[in-house]
Amino acid sequence: MDKYSYATLCQVAKRWLLKTVGCSVAFAELKANSLTLEEPDAIGWIRGGRDSFLIEVKVSRADFHADRKKFFRQHPKFGVGKYRYFMTPPRLLTVEDLPPGWGLLEVQGKKRVKLVHGQHPKKQQQTEFIFQPNTQAELAMQTSILRRTSLRIGDLQTFNAVIVHNYEQRVLRLKKEIRALEAKKKAYLI
């Protein structure tokens, strides 16, 4: 697999959102639902969903130039992501190529990501890199994700209740085993 393929970089972007940014949830290659047409290459949320990070992966300059024609790039207020980045192989883009407010991430090697330009996720917010995201579109994405998850695993509350019940049963079994081992240990020491 090419270390700079689109699919590979989307997964690197997702991992960067989870590990470096600290997003509680992140998705790669998220497909649009009927309410929002934007399809992020990677998106993640932090701070209970208050802050969102969008990453658009570009593996060629032609793809980057085509991206400029998207409705969401021409009208940023309809786009998602409070913080927005392009992620590319090394030296594909320059800071001068970027639209205002966008950051640039370069993938170096298979997993290492270098922040070339933009808001560092662990530092104080810089207002020039903050967008007012389309919260309605983000909420529609989150709802779509929950709906798809529910379709795959069934009712989420029931699923969670089963997990909790199974966990409680396992804890009870382990406590019983511990008591039995402690009794054996005591009998052995006598």
Side-chain angles (χ1 to χ4, degrees):
M1 180 190 295
D2 180 12
K3 67 181 177 179
Y4 296 126
S5 73
Y6 170 78
T8 300
L9 292 188
C10 285
Q11 292 305 312
V12 170
K14 176 183 172 183
R15 189 171 42 255
W16 186 79
L17 290 170
L18 292 168
K19 304 281 185 193
T20 303
V21 175
C23 290
S24 53
V25 65
F27 298 90
E29 300 184 78
L30 187 61
K31 296 302 174 204
N33 59 43
S34 59
L35 296 176
T36 175
L37 299 176
E38 191 163 11
E39 296 182 343
D41 294 331
I43 189 166
W45 289 272
I46 194 170
R47 297 180 192 89
R50 287 181 292 158
D51 290 347
S52 53
F53 291 78
L54 169 76
I55 299 177
E56 283 297 312
V57 169
K58 301 300 167 201
V59 293
S60 72
R61 288 191 62 82
D63 186 21
F64 172 74
H65 290 301
D67 190 81
R68 290 181 178 177
K69 297 174 184 173
K70 291 180 180 176
F71 176 78
F72 303 103
R73 302 301 170 256
Q74 294 178 5
H75 306 281
K77 69 180 181 179
F78 293 106
V80 297
K82 181 175 180 179
Y83 302 99
R84 300 175 186 177
Y85 303 86
F86 286 102
M87 178 177 276
T88 68
R91 297 173 300 285
L92 181 75
L93 300 177
T94 66
V95 173
E96 292 75 28
D97 293 326
L98 302 175
W102 280 74
L104 178 59
L105 303 166
E106 287 184 353
V107 177
Q108 304 189 336
K110 289 187 179 184
K111 296 181 181 180
R112 188 167 165 265
V113 176
K114 177 183 175 187
L115 175 66
V116 175
H117 181 73
Q119 173 69 45
H120 188 284
K122 301 289 186 192
K123 295 188 178 173
Q124 185 175 1
Q125 295 180 346
Q126 299 171 336
T127 56
E128 69 267 26
F129 297 111
I130 297 176
F131 288 87
Q132 181 59 48
N134 182 344
T135 53
Q136 190 68 28
E138 287 189 11
L139 183 59
M141 283 180 187
Q142 293 168 353
T143 302
S144 175
I145 292 163
L146 284 171
R147 182 184 58 76
R148 291 179 209 178
T149 302
S150 181
L151 288 172
R152 286 191 181 113
I153 64 172
D155 180 63
L156 294 174
Q157 286 179 308
T158 302
F159 180 75
N160 192 43
V162 168
I163 288 174
V164 169
H165 175 74
N166 290 345
Y167 175 77
E168 289 170 346
Q169 293 301 310
R170 184 165 183 236
V171 168
L172 290 174
R173 277 194 310 274
L174 289 172
K175 284 182 179 180
K176 188 176 179 180
E177 287 178 29
I178 289 169
R179 283 193 301 274
L181 289 170
E182 286 174 345
K184 282 184 182 180
K185 178 183 171 185
K186 196 176 198 181
Y188 180 75
L189 293 176
I190 294 179

